[in-house]
Amino acid sequence: MTSFRIVFSAAASPCQRIDSKLFPGLQVWVKRDDLLHPLVSGNKFRKLKYPLLALNGRRAHLVSMGGIWSNHLHALAHAAVLHGHSATLLVRAAPGMDSAMLEDCRALGMQVQYVSRDDYRRLREEPDAWRHHVTQSGPQHVWLPEGGSAAAALHGVAELADEAIAQLGFVPDQVALACGTGATLAGVLAGLAGRSQVLGVAVLRQAEYLHRDIARLQREAGYPVQQNYQLLTQFHHGGYAKISPALSAFCQRFAEETGILPEPVYTGKMFYALHQLALENVLPAGSRVLAVHTGGLQGLRGWATSHQHPSPAGSNVQTVRRLW
């Protein structure tokens, strides 16, 4: 069995300079965490690193939650196999609903359980609600919250900051990233330790509550609460996993111009927001911006499936016209 310590010693993801008319007046680099690991993708790789290393080789039964196109559950399933763990995945869906992501997880030996909307809400709100969904929960069971957003996850995400600064040779003026649960933003803030300004693009509606979660996660992980960030809540395009025609068109153009494949649930909204900020001259001219591609193309697989397009698995920029 492959050592998970070896898995988590993967080479740093590259920082790629992009020259695109989509971002006038800005100097933009992309931190390509979509290339960080072939199976355990992007920020999910970083979030899972320390919670799973903390098991110190102990075999565990992992329990977590997500939707039918969850990047977190997909990454967790691969990580579990690589380290010899089993897992129960609590999926917000009606019985019988399925996706290619869930098929992948089952093929890897994961147990998939459907939970109702009400039960899913309880999983978010009640710390031990997950125990009602596993048989005779015991010390072998390890709970990982939605999105992998445990406090320990911040330590892996924090490593991105020094890694990127070393690659760039300077501290960027702004660091832009998509924001779902707030853990990636909190981890990047911790790693930057007051350097740079972070732009968090919320991908769901009414996301102002994330300010509270970002501060809480930093405290729980043992970091000072950094506040050098802005939470941009106007670029959700209708809500989580909602995709507007403008966003879809932008993602296609971005992929064609840069050769980088975004997905519309997270990174597409972040790049779109950065595009709008550039057009409106919100950021100072000449700003050096690091945009974090957090990986996880399950959202693109879901969009492609719902629109009867091919899956992006193994895709490249030549397939983008079919995908979008």
Side-chain angles (χ1 to χ4, degrees), residues 17-30 235 245-262 267-283 287 289 291 317 320 324:
R17 175 74 185 267
I18 59 173
D19 183 16
S20 170
K21 295 179 181 178
L22 292 170
F23 309 105
L26 302 179
Q27 303 176 65
V28 180
W29 288 259
V30 180
F235 297 107
L247 176 62
S248 181
F250 171 83
C251 287
Q252 175 172 336
R253 183 180 171 190
F254 176 86
E256 291 172 343
E257 285 198 14
T258 67
I260 300 171
L261 192 63
T267 55
K269 292 181 179 181
M270 180 271 294
F271 285 120
Y272 180 92
L274 191 59
H275 167 63
Q276 291 298 320
L277 296 178
L279 293 181
E280 296 167 14
N281 299 309
V282 173
L283 303 178
S287 289
V289 181
V317 72
V320 73
W324 296 106

Side-chain angles (χ1 to χ4, degrees), residues 201-223:
V201 179
V203 301
L204 63 164
R205 296 177 60 195
Q206 300 175 334
E208 289 79 9
Y209 70 90
L210 287 173
H211 288 293
R212 179 189 66 243
D213 291 349
I214 291 162
R216 173 184 56 79
L217 284 164
Q218 290 180 83
R219 285 193 298 268
E220 291 179 356
Y223 293 108

